[in-house]
Amino acid sequence: MSVLFFQQLRLNLKHPRDPSSDRFILSKGHAAPILYAAWAEAGLFPIADLNNLRKIDSDLEGHPTPRLNFIDVGTGSLGQGVAVGAGMAYVGKNFDKADYRTYVVVGDGESAEGSIWESLHFAGHYKLDNLCVIFDVNRLGQSEATSLQHKLDVYRDRLEAFGFNAVVVDGHDVEELSKAFHCAAITKNKPTAIIAKTFKGRDFPNIEDLDNWHGKPLGDKAAEVVKHLEGLIVNKNVKLTPKPVPKTGAAPDVDINNIKLSSPPAYKLGDSIATRLAYGTALAKIGQNNLRVVALDGDTKNSTFSDKLKNLDPQRYIECFIAEQNLVGVAVGAACRRRTVAFVSTFATFFTRAFDQIRMGAISQTNVNFVGSHCGCSIGEDGPSQMGLEDIAMFRTIPGSTIFYPSDAVSTERAVELAANTKGVCFIRTSRPNTCVIYDNEEPFTIGRGKVVRQKSSDEVLLIGAGITLYECLAAADQLEKNCITVRVIDPFTVKPLDAELIIEHGKQCGGRVVVVEDHYQQGGLGEAVLSALAGERNFVVKHLYVPTVPRSGPPSVLIDMFGISARHVVNAVNEILKD
């Protein structure tokens, strides 16, 4: 940390998130005290403030978060820093074309995480020579020694196999470290990994390299250790100062505000268009409007239709291959310091694999947009392993998230436009089957505002559906009207925030009778969002239709009927609720 902060990193203390300054990520976030100490020593804030570590009224938290202006991303859920660093480095090399470098410190314990190796593969594949990953190989984990301990040759061989310039050093030797960082800076066409052999508690009497000291204060040993360390200091008057950010090789100014579709939706009422296809169309349109819109995918671009941006501008498409945890982490890194507007797409169900990365993204105050296609049992023959049936629940739990569930092509294009300008994590749920265009191209859409798509003054029940189930509700309404029963139908557009006011208003007009239909499991989806919205209201009864168990392969229409969310089941639910 000393060599990095006072010999290598080019920093702007007045503006720690200067787009042209070097990036530093402490992937092993539990080592936060040394990170805070380095910034304090550099002069960013008074050293005395370090005494407030972990206190409730201090932002010097137990693990770093962007509440601090010198932290880009939250770390500490291990195995994620390399992905974020790779995203930053990719942007620096390919979009900013700037001289700033990215450094990531990884713990040897966390290198057991598979996500680390997903990210190392990505960095090696894209020859990110502006990325330097430092492995702190101190041999000890939290509760016992790591599996590789000090087998530095194994680390070196593995990293070389992943396309890295791997350098083994004594992590306590300033000269060796300086040479290694210089080597990293001049190495072209491959990232560098510095494998630093270290000892936990170096020079701490009766503590160095001993187990059972992870995350523990020194207690009554503190005075002895501090006295010993002070005795090792040769020149106590040295003032260390980081290098300034050079004026050459600066990152360009970027404007990612007020992103618009380059042209409005252009559909005819009744056109049959899958919302996943409309997503790709809209992505290309906002890409035409703003050169900082980028797409990332995990080898599903010809199904999610993110390839439409690739076809427009291949440079702004980042293929992350089948490695969803890295996919999300790279996107979080790419969006840091407002350098890009990132849209990440894959099948909705595959985001469950990267939930921790998404959760940490929210802690990191990211503005990444996630687009999950192939949701629900309506995808058909591919079967349950491909069906997103938990995705709404997952994204609803993310603090500050916005969840779009557009039902036709027009609303999908507007959802993409809105997401591009919305802070926080956004999730757009798209469907595989074609659905009819029901909105005029000029129809305005707003986050948190639903649409009443069918109504009469005689309506007795309110139906709420989204995506393919909206059309099941409309079909059920047609069938019911033949039996002189009229029902109202609402398209929520966003599940979070949900338009509770609209639902309560129209629910009351329908006698407090509500039926919610969704292509999702019972827990955490649209139905429970509606139930939460109505929890404080009197005189409501809600019937919730959902996928009740693990589905199977089959034709979409057969599956939605087999699992209880087809128009036939909606009709039955309406008849039942009218009998109650």
Side-chain angles (χ1 to χ4, degrees), residues 211-455:
D211 210 345
N212 204 30
W213 276 101
H214 183 89
K216 294 184 178 180
L218 297 182
D220 58 9
K221 295 181 179 290
E224 175 192 359
V225 170
V226 170
K227 181 178 179 181
H228 178 72
L229 292 174
E230 287 178 337
L232 299 177
I233 299 174
V234 176
N235 185 349
K236 297 182 180 181
N237 297 317
V238 170
K239 175 62 179 175
L240 300 175
T241 305
K243 291 181 177 179
V245 176
K247 294 182 179 180
T248 58
D253 291 335
V254 169
D255 183 0
I256 58 172
N257 297 307
N258 197 30
I259 293 174
K260 300 288 187 182
L261 297 171
S262 59
S263 60
Y267 302 99
K268 296 178 181 177
L269 291 173
D271 280 353
S272 187
I273 307 287
T275 55
R276 61 180 176 134
L277 176 57
Y279 160 67
T281 300
L283 180 65
K285 286 182 178 181
I286 63 170
Q288 287 177 319
N289 176 260
N290 191 296
L291 296 177
R292 284 285 161 155
V293 171
V294 300
L296 304 92
D297 206 302
D299 194 28
T300 58
K301 57 184 173 291
N302 55 349
S303 291
T304 62
F305 290 101
S306 62
D307 60 358
K308 285 185 172 288
L309 183 61
K310 182 180 181 181
N311 295 337
L312 173 72
D313 184 356
Q315 299 301 315
R316 286 190 282 151
Y317 173 82
I318 306 173
E319 179 58 67
C320 294
F321 305 99
I322 304 171
E324 287 83 9
Q325 294 179 50
N326 180 65
L327 166 68
V328 172
V330 167
V332 170
C336 277
R337 304 194 186 186
R338 293 177 56 81
R339 304 312 296 165
T340 69
V341 178
F343 280 81
V344 185
S345 53
T346 186
F347 289 11
T349 196
F350 299 152
F351 281 127
T352 61
R353 178 174 300 187
F355 179 66
D356 192 19
Q357 279 77 6
I358 296 167
R359 178 186 72 90
M360 289 301 296
I363 292 172
S364 301
Q365 303 172 13
T366 191
N367 295 324
V368 171
N369 305 292
F370 299 93
V371 183
S373 70
H374 291 65
C375 60
C377 67
S378 56
I379 72 166
E381 287 83 355
D382 277 350
S385 70
Q386 312 297 296
M387 296 172 178
L389 290 159
E390 315 85 356
D391 49 309
I392 297 177
M394 181 175 75
F395 279 98
R396 277 185 71 212
T397 66
I398 298 297
S401 63
T402 302
I403 300 175
F404 299 87
Y405 194 176
S407 296
D408 80 341
V410 173
S411 55
T412 301
E413 288 202 26
R414 293 305 183 189
V416 172
E417 183 179 52
L418 287 165
N421 296 284
T422 300
K423 288 186 177 181
V425 167
C426 288
F427 175 58
I428 304 174
R429 194 180 205 228
T430 66
S431 303
R432 187 177 190 276
N434 290 346
T435 52
C436 286
V437 173
I438 58 172
Y439 295 111
D440 290 331
N441 291 317
E442 296 78 24
E443 182 75 25
F445 286 86
T446 305
I447 292 171
R449 291 288 178 263
K451 299 287 185 181
V452 179
V453 296
R454 179 178 179 132
Q455 68 174 320

